Amino acid sequence: MLGGRTQHSLWISGVFGSGKSRCAYTLKKIIDAPENEVRAYWDKYELLKCEKTLLERIIEYKKSGTIAAYLWGTSRDYTIGQIFKAVYESIKEELIKSNAGYTGENALKESVISWLEDDECHKQLIDDKLQKPEWKAVFSQLSADSILDSLRKGEDVTFLMKNILDMADAESIDILDFTSDVIVNWITDVITGNNIRIVLILDEFLDIFLRNSPASDEFQKLVALCRKIPFYPVIVTGSIVSQAMACGRLDCKNIPSSLEQFFIKKDVSLPDIPALELIGRAFSPKSVSVKVWETMTDDLLKSVERSGAAVLKSLNIQNKEILRSILPIHPVAALVLKNISPAIRENQRSMFVFMSTPKDLGMKTFGWFISNHGPASDRRLLTVDMLWDVIYDKGQIFISKDAKSVLDTYKRYAGSLSDYEKIVLKTILLMQVAYQQKECCLSVLEPTVQNLTYAFEGDMPILATDCISIAGALLQKGILIEKTSVDGKKYYEAVPADKDIQTDAAKKNNWVDNFFETVYKK
């Protein structure tokens, strides 16, 4: 794009929490930062080290003149004119930072002339400001009329326009009317005048597409500049159609169709392997405890040997150290945590919320686990069921409808279950939701008989050895059903909320259990 080999700009999309904003901001900093910092950053990562040619091209573009401006969430409460004003201010700020020399004053001359001619009150306002000592010293013109006359006659009014805009900014006067034509002419002028490229990153800008068509047409004039000059508006959004539907504007999903011709689309997602690496980097042992922790993790790693091997095989990786890095999180739990995220309003950020939430906020997160469990505890691994508090109990309002219908199974039956049955049921339900996400293709997360034993490997004996019989009890009570996949594997599934498929025997057992519990308690 920066090399001019395409007349398209970049459209970055991805679900909430996928890292798209981080990627976009990193692009800005790669353009902004000194060469030595960019080279140092590049050398930190193995994947980037393989892209030396790309690095040298980026350095070349930096040296020959490229600036990047970044706007986040500007469209939320703004009119299209206010958006253009924010674009102007952000680009101008970067021009000043980069010592570009020319900030496009000549291109704004007509807008200032129109503003002064539009209303006598505007002239009076300027006349009043010119009486202040600080502005008397700046302007040789001592009235609004003389300023207007100078603007009409002068071809190069750079110095005068700079003074006018400085005064307007200092005195909070909205002297510029930012239409699409004004902002397009200004950007063209500064790019030509400084012989530079401009990258404008518009993050969380989806609302612009949810407005009426005329506003979108105005915005398209700005976007279309990438076909004419080295100006690249990089749009960062989530899922346009899904968010449009969420706000009740099904018709607006067609608004951005005319814009697509100007962009190369890139979807940002978080693959499973980097997700596990990020989980592993989220914590580390204290320096004085490194040796002790290595010994402890040797033992923990042996306790999840089969399940760890299954997880590694599903991800097609050989390095066991990735499993060590996430301990004491069980490998199956780590995969569930990552892959269930799209069910929580497409929010992959939930994985990092779980890892980073402080222990004293009343949520059973990673911080809570390491404060209440240790290598000598009955439950020394953070297993799938321990994700329940954050995902369901504390996160219900964010859960998708389909996922909630599955997870609500627990609430319907929890009152009649033993502690161990609750743990196994939570595990099966969470695995079912994670596996059913369209982004998930990991068979190790399907709640099969084999995978359930993986999920409890290394846990306390009664769960590690009896989880299948406990699941059998849930089948007998009609809380779960057992199905057979096309490859002959048995797997568990929650009974749909609107169906009662309990067998007569199950109903009888439930009646006996409830009667016994009631009589016993009394």
Side-chain angles (χ1 to χ4, degrees), residues 272-273 276 301-320 322-323 326 330-333 335 339 431 441-446 448-457 489:
D272 293 299
I273 296 174
L276 293 186
L301 202 55
K302 288 178 183 177
S303 72
V304 291
E305 189 169 4
R306 290 171 54 251
S307 56
V311 166
L312 292 177
K313 182 179 179 181
S314 69
L315 298 176
N316 194 29
I317 56 178
Q318 306 294 324
N319 185 11
K320 285 187 178 181
I322 195 170
L323 299 181
I326 65 173
H330 195 287
V332 176
L335 278 191
N339 284 279
M431 291 178 72
C441 57
L442 299 174
S443 60
V444 73
L445 294 184
E446 186 179 17
T448 63
V449 171
Q450 178 66 75
N451 289 341
L452 188 60
T453 64
Y454 287 155
F456 287 106
E457 185 185 25
K489 294 179 181 177

Side-chain angles (χ1 to χ4, degrees), residues 51-244:
E51 298 285 354
K52 288 293 186 183
T53 302
L54 176 61
L55 172 62
E56 296 307 323
R57 282 163 55 197
I58 290 173
I59 297 298
E60 177 190 337
Y61 302 145
K62 287 164 63 69
K63 289 179 178 178
S64 60
T66 304
I67 68 167
Y70 191 100
L71 285 176
W72 184 84
T74 54
S75 61
R76 289 182 175 177
D77 300 307
Y78 285 37
T79 65
I80 190 71
Q82 289 171 323
I83 291 171
F84 288 150
K85 181 181 180 182
V87 167
Y88 162 75
E89 291 174 344
S90 63
I91 293 177
K92 183 178 178 181
E93 180 182 354
E94 295 300 330
L95 288 168
I96 294 170
K97 285 181 182 177
S98 64
N99 299 313
Y102 176 56
T103 54
E105 289 81 7
N106 289 327
L108 300 174
K109 178 178 74 172
E110 294 303 322
S111 183
V112 173
I113 290 174
S114 297
W115 184 85
L116 287 169
E117 292 177 337
D118 181 58
D119 194 324
E120 285 298 320
C121 292
H122 292 169
K123 288 184 180 180
Q124 186 60 53
L125 178 60
I126 296 299
D127 284 336
D128 291 343
K129 300 303 180 185
L130 288 172
Q131 299 309 306
K132 291 185 174 183
E134 60 267 34
W135 301 121
K136 278 186 178 181
V138 171
F139 286 88
S140 58
Q141 301 87 346
L142 295 180
S143 71
D145 281 327
S146 60
I147 288 175
L148 187 56
D149 188 55
S150 297
L151 290 175
R152 286 169 177 160
K153 292 179 179 178
E155 292 185 4
D156 185 356
V157 292
T158 304
F159 186 69
L160 175 56
M161 279 294 301
K162 183 180 184 305
N163 290 339
I164 293 171
L165 295 176
D166 285 347
M167 181 175 71
D169 186 52
E171 300 290 348
S172 300
I173 302 173
D174 288 328
I175 202 168
L176 296 173
D177 181 19
F178 284 99
T179 64
S180 57
D181 290 336
V182 169
I183 194 68
V184 164
N185 289 337
W186 178 76
I187 290 173
T188 303
D189 190 36
V190 294
I191 287 177
T192 304
N194 293 294
N195 191 26
I196 58 171
R197 307 172 191 82
I198 295 179
V199 177
L200 173 66
I201 299 172
L202 302 169
D203 196 358
E204 296 293 349
F205 227 69
L206 184 61
D207 286 356
I208 191 67
F209 302 127
L210 306 184
R211 297 181 183 277
N212 54 49
S213 295
S216 185
D217 291 341
E218 289 293 292
F219 183 68
Q220 183 166 311
K221 292 181 183 179
L222 176 67
V223 170
L225 271 178
C226 67
R227 293 283 176 88
K228 303 173 183 177
I229 56 175
F231 171 70
Y232 306 102
V234 176
I235 294 179
V236 185
T237 67
S239 170
I240 294 173
V241 174
S242 65
Q243 291 194 37

Side-chain angles (χ1 to χ4, degrees), residues 377-394:
S377 303
D378 287 339
R379 308 202 67 193
R380 58 185 190 158
L381 291 166
L382 195 160
T383 47
V384 175
D385 59 285
M386 295 183 188
L387 307 175
W388 187 266
D389 183 71
V390 169
I391 292 172
Y392 186 79
D393 288 346
K394 297 296 191 299

